[in-house]
Amino acid sequence: MEDLILAGDEKLAEIKANQEKWLEERQKIKDRPDKFETVSGMSVNDLYTPLDLKNFDYQKDLGFPGQYPYTRGVQPNMYRGRLWTMRQFAGFGTAKDSNQRYKYLLAKGQTGLSVAFDMPTIMGYDSDHPRALGEVGRVGVAIDSLQDMETLFSGIPLDKISTSMTINAPAAILWAMYIATGEKQGVRSEQLTGTIQNDLLKEYIAQKSWIFPPEPSLRIITNIFEYACQYVPRWNTISISGYHIREAGSTAVQELAFTLADGFAYVEAGIKAGLNVDDFAPRLSFFFNAHMDFFEEVAKYRAARRIWARRMKEKYGAKNPRSWMLRFHTQTAGCSLTAQQPENNIIRTAFEGLSAVMGGTQSLHTNSMDEVLALPSEKAVEIALRTQQIIAYETGAANVIDPLAGSYFVEALTNKMEEEAEKYFAEIEQRGGVLACIDQNFFQQEIADAAYSYQRNIDAKDRILVGVNEFVNPDEKIEIDLLKIDPQVEKDQVARLQKLRRERDNIRVNETLDALRRAFQGSENVIPYILDCVRAYATEGEIIQVGREVFGEYREKPVF
Amino acid sequence: MARVRVLMAKPGLDGHDRGVKVVARALRDAGMEVVYTGLHQTPEEIVEAAIQEDVDIVGLSILSGAHMTLIPRVNELLKENGASDIVVIGGGTIPEEDVLALKEGGWAKEIFTPGTPLENIVEWINSHVKSKDN
Ligand code: B12
């Protein structure tokens, strides 16, 4: 074994002897009474040495950046070539309000857009539906039809910018609106770049904004894979998300394991739908969380790349190296931020963002300090973006590729994450796969248990949160300006929508919706039909309603 | 002494259920009888469940900004159905000025915002709500 961080057998024996001597001394000194474990409750040793990496094999376990198994990163030169994309998630009020925020962010040096939709849009209801009452434009932008999408991107050339859209159950519709907005701007679909989240499995597991049951959802997703392959080849057709799983309360290992398990399920669904794995796998992308435990997070990203590459090559027989590469977006952990002393959140976010960069992320959203209180104000977003710029240009973290590799600790933790994830894969398989596990509430219960124990630990002060259960300011008064949504937004949006319904060609709308219904009932690819509906200014709610009638709605069996 | 019966509910389109589940479990661990509605409930469905389950208190969890519409609506419906003896409390992402407005308007007895220790919620219920069966 010639690896630099490893010694030969003889050397190992010597290290072992010395370690024992050290242990003897070390055990005489008392430790603090605290628990020494990661934020996920995984215990860690006080010291790591070559003895923790006995079977380490540099070529097999790490290799080189841009090479299988990609543990060290997906590009050969990583951030020396291009920095990660700084992509702040934003959207609120009307399309016009959000369009202004996007122009503000672009002017401040942001390099990609990320659209947040409001709850009615996320759940497939138009702004004038009774269930949308009080929810329009509150937590994202309200988009009812192509008209709103045109406004959202007015003055923003779609061939120059990449756009990520956090949309799932109605992803095909919003994507179709984006493609149609491109058409209006004279941009061909082949030129468009961006991402739709489009990950329904994690909706049933964690984010809970489902509409249809899993089977038809998977069909629409594979239709999107197929359509993109032909007409929108530079688009990331799915963002397989661990972020939401973690935010719902999971541990780091659960985030890693459940997300990759979802990823494998999509690959299997694509193959089952008759697609060639190398035609769609290169467009699969991922989305992870960056929580407070710095090393645990770095290990998680590295393990994720290695597991994905190995499975894609060995189990699914992918031949194209792009199918083996796990590319991912990261968002810092909203759930790690505190209502108390909100300015401290700037510091938390900075460490979290740094872990994502040390872990080789392709793009990053850093949360704003007012995350717990409301949608971010302009000032708070600016600081969050500056945090990324400081990581990029001042810390030196972007100079060296995978700079923590070779740390006995980080390599041992990376191995451990992989081993623990494999245990979950085995359990998921034994339970009958991802869909069966969702049906059994397996993921949901695992996550709820972890969330509860996290909360209990904080309340019991087993885990210290600065400003919350220690170093508290008893008469703290929060002094930051919060973003407020004017209730007038809802009225205006409803008025605009009703005007559209009066003025558009309603015969054409009905024809396209009828054609879509037949496509839903049959087995053809539904995307061209959705595009026709959208181009005729059918609304999102009308299109989804056709789906609800054909496929029915998903119902959870609540557990806590 | 009979146990306090609680309905924990998620009105509206909001899918944030981490908090509601954590609170539901803490109340159960503290000896209360807890029913959880699951997500995406209309105010009508919640009030129906509250009456059917014969609860002493309804807890509404809202993180989607729709609290000024949904919490008053649940109250009105309770009143219309002759169930205004059921205590209503709430929690989630609710700005301070709205907390005041909800309490002053009589729409909610108490609102618990992020960062509240679970013990505080248990204590509040224990000292403000008695089981009807006593
Ligand atoms: C976790 C989280 C998520 C997870 C949710 C996972 C899940 N299944 O719950 C994910 C990633 C999926 C998510 C998604 C979204 N989120 Co979110 N999310 C959060 C976050 C970071 C933490 C919430 C949380 O769970 N905290 C931990 C729990 C234990 O605390 P809690 O819920 O506040 O509950 C405590 C108290 O409030 C109280 N409580 C709460 N409910 C009740 C009820 C009763 C009866 C009682 C007594 C007490 C009580 O007791 C609890 C213990 O103290 C908050 C910001 C924050 N840090 O608070 C944003 C936040 C709530 N999300 C927000 C938004 C906008 C969204 C999205 C709409 C974004 C989008 N456009 O796509 C989506 C929509 C999701 C959906 N389906 O509804 C906004 C809401 C803004 C607003 N209301 O003005 C916030 C505030 C972030 C922000 N600043 O932008 N989110």
Side-chain angles (χ1 to χ4, degrees):
Chain A
M1 187 64 33
E2 294 301 314
D3 296 318
L4 284 181
I5 58 169
L6 277 194
D9 283 351
E10 220 169 283
K11 269 269 162 58
L12 278 180
E14 195 185 323
I15 294 172
K16 185 142 184 66
N18 284 332
Q19 188 187 40
E20 267 150 30
K21 254 188 259 162
W22 163 76
L23 256 180
E24 221 168 274
E25 283 307 300
R26 189 241 171 277
Q27 273 158 357
K28 290 180 197 150
I29 317 167
K30 249 179 91 171
D31 286 350
R32 281 181 283 126
D34 306 4
K35 278 188 196 155
F36 298 97
E37 48 184 43
T38 67
V39 76
S40 303
M42 186 192 274
S43 65
V44 286
N45 303 343
D46 53 355
L47 184 80
Y48 288 80
T49 68
L51 298 171
D52 296 292
L53 294 177
K54 277 196 199 114
N55 300 315
F56 186 80
D57 179 335
Y58 182 84
Q59 271 311 322
K60 217 172 120 255
D61 296 336
L62 303 188
F64 281 84
Q67 288 175 22
Y68 187 85
Y70 303 98
T71 314
R72 308 209 62 182
V74 291
Q75 289 107 7
N77 61 349
M78 285 305 288
Y79 304 132
R80 286 206 177 193
R82 202 169 64 80
L83 287 166
W84 63 93
T85 304
M86 299 181 190
R87 199 190 284 284
Q88 299 297 91
F89 181 49
F92 59 89
T94 61
K96 208 167 150 212
D97 298 329
S98 296
N99 175 264
Q100 273 164 13
R101 175 64 72 87
Y102 297 158
K103 287 178 173 161
Y104 170 87
L105 286 167
L106 292 171
K108 296 275 171 193
Q110 175 167 299
T111 48
L113 291 178
S114 173
V115 182
F117 296 98
D118 71 354
M119 285 316 302
T121 307
I122 289 173
M123 296 297 294
Y125 294 109
D126 286 337
S127 298
D128 57 355
H129 191 282
R131 283 194 179 242
L133 192 70
E135 314 239 23
V136 176
R138 291 238 159 233
V139 291
V141 59
I143 301 291
D144 289 315
S145 73
L146 174 58
Q147 192 181 54
D148 296 325
M149 196 64 119
E150 289 164 12
T151 309
L152 189 64
F153 291 101
S154 111
I156 301 174
L158 299 192
D159 53 344
K160 302 263 154 41
I161 191 88
S162 80
T163 303
S164 165
M165 292 193 273
T166 299
I167 195 72
N168 293 278
I173 302 169
L174 278 297
W175 187 46
M177 288 183 190
Y178 193 84
I179 295 171
T181 302
E183 289 168 359
K184 301 254 160 167
Q185 289 189 3
V187 177
R188 284 177 298 115
S189 62
E190 286 82 358
Q191 295 170 277
L192 298 174
T193 59
T195 308
I196 39 178
Q197 200 163 74
N198 195 28
D199 168 10
L200 265 297
L201 292 174
K202 70 91 176 53
E203 293 299 329
Y204 307 111
I205 296 172
Q207 176 158 258
K208 320 285 170 90
S209 43
W210 52 69
I211 302 178
F212 311 136
E215 299 284 348
S217 298
L218 278 173
R219 168 187 167 200
I220 299 172
I221 292 168
T222 50
N223 285 175
I224 292 175
F225 291 173
E226 187 184 41
Y227 188 86
C229 221
Q230 275 189 40
Y231 303 105
V232 208
R234 296 169 67 201
W235 197 270
N236 297 311
T237 49
I238 192 168
S239 171
I240 305 161
S241 305
Y243 183 77
H244 313 75
I245 292 173
R246 191 69 180 279
E247 289 287 298
S250 85
T251 64
V253 166
Q254 289 166 347
E255 178 193 355
L256 175 67
F258 300 171
T259 309
L260 293 185
D262 287 349
F264 303 141
Y266 291 121
V267 169
E268 288 168 19
I271 293 172
K272 207 172 130 203
L275 308 178
N276 176 343
V277 65
D278 283 321
D279 284 343
F280 68 91
R283 297 320 303 171
L284 307 180
S285 65
F286 286 81
F287 175 15
F288 289 112
N289 191 284
H291 213 295
M292 275 309 286
D293 200 296
F294 188 85
F295 296 103
E296 185 172 52
E297 296 303 271
V298 174
K300 179 184 74 186
Y301 308 126
R302 301 175 82 244
R305 278 192 295 267
R306 185 159 78 199
I307 298 170
W308 185 252
R310 285 183 177 158
R311 287 261 169 147
M312 290 306 287
K313 187 173 178 204
E314 285 159 23
K315 180 158 181 201
Y316 298 112
K319 305 243 159 22
N320 181 351
R322 298 198 65 84
S323 303
W324 306 335
M325 285 179 203
L326 180 147
R327 296 168 299 125
F328 69 104
H329 172 69
T330 308
Q331 178 168 340
T332 57
C335 63
S336 70
L337 303 184
T338 63
Q340 296 88 342
Q341 304 178 27
E343 293 85 350
N344 295 346
N345 294 332
I346 298 174
I347 295 118
R348 295 193 176 95
T349 298
F351 287 120
E352 293 172 348
L354 185 63
S355 76
V357 168
M358 300 283 237
T361 196
Q362 277 57 63
S363 60
L364 178 62
H365 165 104
T366 33
N367 285 324
S368 299
M369 64 171 157
D370 52 3
E371 163 79 14
V372 183
L373 306 167
L375 293 189
S377 68
E378 222 162 68
K379 181 75 199 164
V381 178
E382 180 173 349
I383 296 173
L385 177 60
R386 295 288 179 251
T387 305
Q388 292 200 36
Q389 291 161 340
I390 290 170
I391 294 173
Y393 296 102
E394 298 187 21
T395 64
N399 288 341
V400 177
I401 301 167
D402 189 26
L404 293 178
S407 146
Y408 302 118
F409 176 38
V410 170
E411 295 302 352
L413 199 56
T414 304
N415 292 345
K416 172 98 178 154
M417 301 292 291
E418 183 170 358
E419 280 158 29
E420 295 295 318
E422 290 289 350
K423 284 186 200 154
Y424 267 123
F425 298 150
E427 170 151 20
I428 294 165
E429 203 175 313
Q430 182 239 320
R431 285 171 171 273
V434 169
L435 289 186
C437 285
I438 290 172
D439 196 49
Q440 297 158 16
N441 269 328
F442 170 66
F443 302 120
Q444 300 90 315
Q445 190 66 61
E446 288 279 303
I447 295 169
D449 289 348
Y452 189 58
S453 90
Y454 180 85
Q455 195 65 36
R456 279 290 183 202
N457 282 336
I458 290 168
D459 287 359
K461 261 180 101 166
D462 277 346
R463 178 179 304 288
I464 299 295
L465 276 192
V466 173
V468 174
N469 56 13
E470 192 70 285
F471 316 112
V472 178
N473 291 344
D475 30 44
E476 174 182 1
K477 193 98 199 75
I478 291 173
E479 276 164 6
I480 50 182
D481 289 332
L482 298 180
L483 179 85
K484 287 207 188 70
I485 307 295
D486 186 346
Q488 191 59 35
V489 161
E490 183 161 319
K491 296 198 186 91
D492 292 350
Q493 182 67 20
V494 168
R496 242 192 324 277
L497 170 62
Q498 291 178 341
K499 182 164 181 282
L500 174 86
R501 283 200 223 278
R502 283 193 305 273
E503 292 176 357
R504 64 186 181 179
D505 177 351
N506 279 305
I507 295 176
R508 179 82 195 120
V509 169
N510 288 331
E511 280 168 6
T512 58
L513 289 172
D514 285 344
L516 177 64
R517 181 186 305 273
R518 285 190 295 274
F520 276 158
Q521 286 161 343
S523 59
E524 266 177 283
N525 192 318
V526 298
I527 307 302
Y529 295 93
I530 294 178
L531 261 166
D532 282 344
C533 295
V534 160
R535 289 185 187 116
Y537 292 91
T539 65
E540 189 215 24
E542 291 162 347
I543 298 172
I544 286 289
Q545 186 53 32
V546 174
R548 282 200 171 97
E549 285 161 22
V550 177
F551 303 129
E553 278 184 78
Y554 179 75
R555 291 244 169 273
E556 69 169 336
K557 293 169 274 176
V559 281
F560 62 88
Chain B
M1 206 173 84
R3 302 197 294 170
V4 170
R5 285 178 65 79
V6 189
L7 180 73
M8 291 294 285
K10 285 292 302 181
L13 303 180
D14 185 14
H16 293 92
D17 63 357
R18 177 177 180 162
V20 76
K21 289 181 172 190
V22 163
V23 174
R25 194 137 155 192
L27 301 184
R28 188 174 64 191
D29 285 359
M32 299 176 204
E33 274 184 58
V34 183
V35 181
Y36 169 47
T37 60
L39 291 161
H40 312 144
Q41 303 292 305
T42 60
E44 286 77 7
E45 289 165 334
I46 292 170
V47 168
E48 198 190 311
I51 292 170
Q52 202 163 44
E53 299 284 347
D54 193 24
V55 297
D56 305 300
I57 173 169
V58 174
L60 303 171
S61 175
I62 308 179
L63 287 81
S64 65
H67 47 270
M68 294 310 281
T69 307
L70 295 168
I71 296 182
R73 184 78 192 122
V74 169
N75 259 281
E76 278 164 15
L77 288 167
L78 282 173
K79 228 174 260 150
E80 278 170 28
N81 287 279
S84 43
D85 57 322
I86 298 177
V87 176
V88 175
I89 61 172
T93 318
I94 304 182
E96 209 174 289
E97 51 180 285
D98 293 352
V99 170
L100 288 178
L102 287 166
K103 284 166 72 173
E104 275 164 17
W107 305 121
K109 272 263 155 47
E110 192 53 85
I111 298 282
F112 298 90
T113 54
T116 309
L118 298 173
E119 229 21 72
N120 295 11
I121 301 171
V122 172
E123 267 163 34
W124 189 94
I125 297 181
N126 280 335
S127 58
H128 289 81
V129 184
K130 296 261 163 325
S131 166
K132 285 188 269 231
D133 304 336
N134 281 327

